[in-house]
Amino acid sequence: MQRNADRTRTRILAAATEEFAARGIAGARVNRIAEVAGCNKAMLYAYFGSKDGLFDAVYTAAVDTYLAEVGFDTADLPGYAGRVFDYFEEHPEHQRLNIWYRLERPDGTALEAIVAVNKSRLGDLDQAQRSGVVPGNFTPIELLALLQAIATSWSSMNPEYGASAPSRASRREAVVEAVRRLLSS
Amino acid sequence: MQRNADRTRTRILAAATEEFAARGIAGARVNRIAEVAGCNKAMLYAYFGSKDGLFDAVYTAAVDTYLAEVGFDTADLPGYAGRVFDYFEEHPEHQRLNIWYRLERPDGTALEAIVAVNKSRLGDLDQAQRSGVVPGNFTPIELLALLQAIATSWSSMNPEYGASAPSRASRREAVVEAVRRLLSS
């Protein structure tokens, strides 16, 4: 029984990830998610409480996977930016979840997973600056904002650029080089 | 009569800007826009054709205003980034329109205004690189992508940062300094 319950939960999360990435929180339809997951709406609400609760579960799972995959290494921030770039190239649906989240929850409803990791990274950057591993040109929070913006620079471009986009390898190298320059003394 | 028609059109655009910025294309309600603008739906459709046509008019007007205000100057790209930063600090609704546009029209439906200005800027950057005004570390399209990402780095952050955001002046200086570093030889 437990394994069946886990499988149902996993199927709901997969269907909900696709639906939320395509349509956002307001636009997502719980009926459609239940149908794709092969369960009924009552079961979905039993697991996740509400559509907002389901979005939080989907987004938290996506953030956890992202954090585990890209890691964070103050001794090699250009390499970190390259991994973030790779992650969003390979998971465009995660980038869409990020953007819906910012649009539809502009005032925060902060996710614990993000709050905790930001705090930890800001502490790491502060420590790395104190010990001279990272130059002190920017405050930790400004550096983190710039790193994330540069690493996702292409995915946040206007769709009008699409046709003339350089190769993935070339865009990746531009991202890594931009972070190198950010840190040069 | 002509002046009345212009005023109606202006009122519809203002109401639609607010509605689209808050709710996006799919979420916007034409009824609500007409009500706020003090006209009826038939009149709105007579002016703009459809909800999508109205969004295009709103977004094109926003892009035109933005382009006129920030300009583009290959001889001072850090200054340009600072002006882009200022513009989106002062017009958060425009940044929301940008993001909805990317989410809801991921495959482009390219806006002529953007296509034309991108082409012109890429030409300017290419020329500035050939004449040595701008270093050739990045291709024009990569440089433009990085400039825009850095200039809007703060507005694209996760809402979890909000409470600990540095002052506007400090964030602006970080943006300008990041672009200076991008261009250093």
Side-chain angles (χ1 to χ4, degrees), chain B residues 36-158:
Chain B
V36 171
C39 72
N40 59 48
K41 254 167 77 167
M43 201 183 294
L44 187 152
Y45 284 122
Y47 281 115
F48 297 100
S50 63
K51 185 161 82 167
D52 272 311
L54 179 54
F55 179 81
D56 283 355
V58 161
Y59 192 50
T60 302
V63 168
D64 286 345
T65 306
Y66 161 77
L67 293 174
E69 190 151 325
V70 301
F72 188 66
D73 177 5
T74 54
D76 180 19
L77 293 174
Y80 162 75
R83 290 197 303 279
V84 172
F85 171 86
D86 287 337
Y87 190 85
F88 289 116
E89 285 286 312
E90 282 152 29
H91 302 281
E93 78 287 356
H94 187 146
Q95 183 65 354
R96 289 181 60 87
L97 289 175
N98 280 337
I99 305 177
W100 287 116
Y101 176 66
R102 293 203 303 263
L103 274 175
E104 299 195 288
R105 298 230 179 118
D107 299 323
T109 317
L111 279 182
E112 280 311 312
I114 299 179
V115 173
V117 86
N118 282 348
K119 200 176 158 188
S120 144
R121 289 178 173 192
L122 294 175
D124 289 350
L125 286 171
D126 184 56
Q127 186 56 41
Q129 287 184 327
R130 284 174 198 277
S131 63
V133 174
V134 170
N137 316 309
F138 299 98
T139 64
I141 197 166
E142 285 164 353
L143 186 53
L144 195 53
L146 287 165
L147 285 172
Q148 294 300 130
I150 289 170
T152 58
S153 55
W154 199 265
S155 58
S156 68
M157 287 304 292
N158 289 317

